[in-house]
Amino acid sequence: MAKRVVTFGEIMLRLAPEGYYRFVQAERYQALYGGGEANVAVSLSNYGMDAAFVTKLPEHEIGQAGVNALRRFGVDTSCIIRGGDRVGIYYMEKGASQRPSKVIYDRAGSSIAQAEIKDFDWEKILRGADWFHFTGITPALKGNLPAICLEAVKKAKEMGITVSCDLNYRKKLWTKQEARKTMEALCGYVDVCIANEEDASDVFGIKAEDTDVTSGKVNHDGYKSVARQLAERFGFSKVAITLRESLSANDNGWSAMLYDGGQYYFSKRYLMHIVDRVGGGDSFGGGLIYALSEGYGPQEVIEFAAAASCLKHTVEGDFNMVSAEEVKKLSKGDGSGRVQR
């Protein structure tokens, strides 16, 4: 029977100018849906897992369209609470060459940001679940969400459910001090921590030595130290870190590391030409959760997660619309991009 994973967070309406148009040029916007934990749920459902997404959305048609976007990919939406007045929006301008992508949030007062503790019966929501996943973006929405997240992870641990968290620091949502205070409380209940090259530094002040993400310089020994310090501080059983070398907005080096039981495992490195990088970290999280749930060995786990995320960078939109077989093929070395006939 497929393992059941429950994810919790905000799904937003994504409005993006066509192609590489800038906001000030745009006359038309493409409307899609996405959000950290929702993206993970879609990945897992595409891999054949029983994936549920939990949030709060308005009862009107825009809220329903968000629900429908998830249902399209087989995500269980039965625990989504309906209420409130608005769906959060983010505007996405795609970068090119040396011009970076730009995101503008319009999410204040969204239904999930206005959620109350009583909205979520975590014992009922988590019944039958094997895994619970959230990101640092959700408590960053403030209001009651730090307390709601804490209640969720406490209940998950009480029920023997594995808990994962992607630190996902967003400076537009809260300060480093606010993030540290809240995430320190939550991370005590986390088994698997996911971070990128900046999160550990921004949230917990743990830096990778001799690494400069703006110049594309990545030092493996520095990341070993970061993972070890995170695990020792919070008791994580596993720490996964993505290693992005930003050569330009279009071209990145991409690899990842897994710290597991005191051992370090590095994936192969991919040189990616990017179609859409939003959701890249979420696709890594989805790949990691899938591979760990399937009982893969540590090296297989990090290879699968890195390959899954590499493929996401070739897909428009937030969701990673690839199958487990496609990911396995790339993780085992076929990155030729030749036509499959």
Side-chain angles (χ1 to χ4, degrees), residues 52-161:
F53 176 65
V54 181
T55 192
K56 187 172 184 178
L57 285 169
E59 293 189 58
H60 56 52
E61 290 84 352
I62 304 303
Q64 187 60 43
V67 174
N68 293 350
L70 294 161
R71 285 180 175 169
R72 178 184 175 191
F73 297 101
V75 174
D76 178 356
T77 59
S78 63
C79 291
I80 291 179
I81 306 301
R82 306 305 290 269
D85 298 319
R86 71 180 302 245
V87 176
I89 298 170
Y90 83 93
Y91 297 88
M92 170 69 191
E93 178 186 279
K94 192 179 293 187
S97 192
Q98 279 67 45
R99 175 172 61 84
S101 295
K102 184 174 289 188
V103 169
I104 296 174
Y105 290 122
D106 177 17
R107 67 200 301 180
S110 66
S111 290
I112 187 64
Q114 301 292 319
E116 299 178 43
I117 292 174
K118 65 180 177 61
D119 286 334
F120 303 97
D121 181 346
W122 288 109
E123 184 155 359
K124 180 180 177 183
I125 291 168
L126 294 171
R127 195 171 296 142
D130 301 285
W131 198 293
F132 176 72
H133 177 76
F134 72 106
T135 79
I137 296 171
T138 302
L141 299 176
K142 302 177 188 172
N144 294 312
L145 283 165
I148 293 170
C149 286
L150 187 58
E151 191 172 274
V153 295
K154 283 183 175 180
K155 181 57 67 174
K157 293 305 291 180
E158 181 186 310
M159 297 172 71
I161 296 166

Side-chain angles (χ1 to χ4, degrees), residues 41-329:
V42 170
S43 278
L44 294 172
S45 184
N46 284 339
Y47 300 150
M49 295 189 75
D50 179 5
F53 176 65
V54 181
T55 192
K56 187 172 184 178
L57 285 169
E59 293 189 58
H60 56 52
E61 290 84 352
I62 304 303
Q64 187 60 43
V67 174
N68 293 350
L70 294 161
R71 285 180 175 169
R72 178 184 175 191
F73 297 101
V75 174
D76 178 356
T77 59
S78 63
C79 291
I80 291 179
I81 306 301
R82 306 305 290 269
D85 298 319
R86 71 180 302 245
V87 176
I89 298 170
Y90 83 93
Y91 297 88
M92 170 69 191
E93 178 186 279
K94 192 179 293 187
S97 192
Q98 279 67 45
R99 175 172 61 84
S101 295
K102 184 174 289 188
V103 169
I104 296 174
Y105 290 122
D106 177 17
R107 67 200 301 180
S110 66
S111 290
I112 187 64
Q114 301 292 319
E116 299 178 43
I117 292 174
K118 65 180 177 61
D119 286 334
F120 303 97
D121 181 346
W122 288 109
E123 184 155 359
K124 180 180 177 183
I125 291 168
L126 294 171
R127 195 171 296 142
D130 301 285
W131 198 293
F132 176 72
H133 177 76
F134 72 106
T135 79
I137 296 171
T138 302
L141 299 176
K142 302 177 188 172
N144 294 312
L145 283 165
I148 293 170
C149 286
L150 187 58
E151 191 172 274
V153 295
K154 283 183 175 180
K155 181 57 67 174
K157 293 305 291 180
E158 181 186 310
M159 297 172 71
I161 296 166
T162 300
V163 177
S164 60
C165 176
D166 188 332
L167 295 181
N168 258 351
Y169 176 70
R170 294 290 185 269
K171 64 183 179 182
K172 291 185 178 181
L173 296 178
W174 58 357
T175 66
K176 293 178 182 179
Q177 291 74 25
E178 289 173 320
R180 182 171 302 183
K181 181 180 178 182
T182 299
M183 296 308 293
E184 280 183 341
L186 290 168
C187 282
Y189 298 91
V190 171
D191 301 294
V192 179
C193 176
I194 303 165
N196 68 16
E197 66 274 5
E198 295 172 288
D199 291 333
S201 173
D202 288 334
V203 180
F204 297 124
I206 299 173
K207 300 181 184 295
E209 296 177 6
D210 297 323
T211 290
D212 182 357
V213 297
T214 60
S215 68
K217 180 185 177 185
V218 170
N219 172 35
H220 282 192
D221 287 336
Y223 286 105
K224 287 181 180 180
S225 173
V226 168
R228 187 182 67 254
Q229 289 181 66
L230 284 170
E232 289 173 354
R233 186 162 169 180
F234 295 105
F236 302 137
S237 63
K238 296 174 178 60
V239 178
I241 297 179
T242 55
L243 312 176
R244 184 187 294 275
E245 303 158 63
S246 294
L247 309 177
S248 72
N250 296 101
D251 296 288
N252 286 184
W254 182 254
S255 58
M257 184 197 80
L258 177 66
Y259 178 73
D260 182 3
Q263 299 295 313
Y264 305 94
Y265 303 88
F266 286 88
S267 76
K268 62 174 66 70
R269 177 180 178 270
Y270 298 97
L271 184 59
M272 306 183 300
H273 187 71
I274 297 170
V275 170
D276 190 336
R277 68 165 281 180
V278 176
D282 305 322
S283 61
F284 175 80
L288 188 82
I289 292 168
Y290 173 80
L292 287 170
S293 297
E294 290 293 297
Y296 288 15
Q299 190 64 47
E300 290 179 292
V301 166
I302 201 62
E303 294 291 0
F304 187 93
S309 188
C310 177
L311 287 174
K312 164 60 195 78
H313 286 76
T314 72
V315 179
E316 292 275 8
D318 277 47
F319 297 158
N320 192 18
M321 293 179 251
V322 299
S323 68
E325 288 307 311
E326 288 175 306
V327 177
K328 289 174 188 174
K329 189 164 189 176

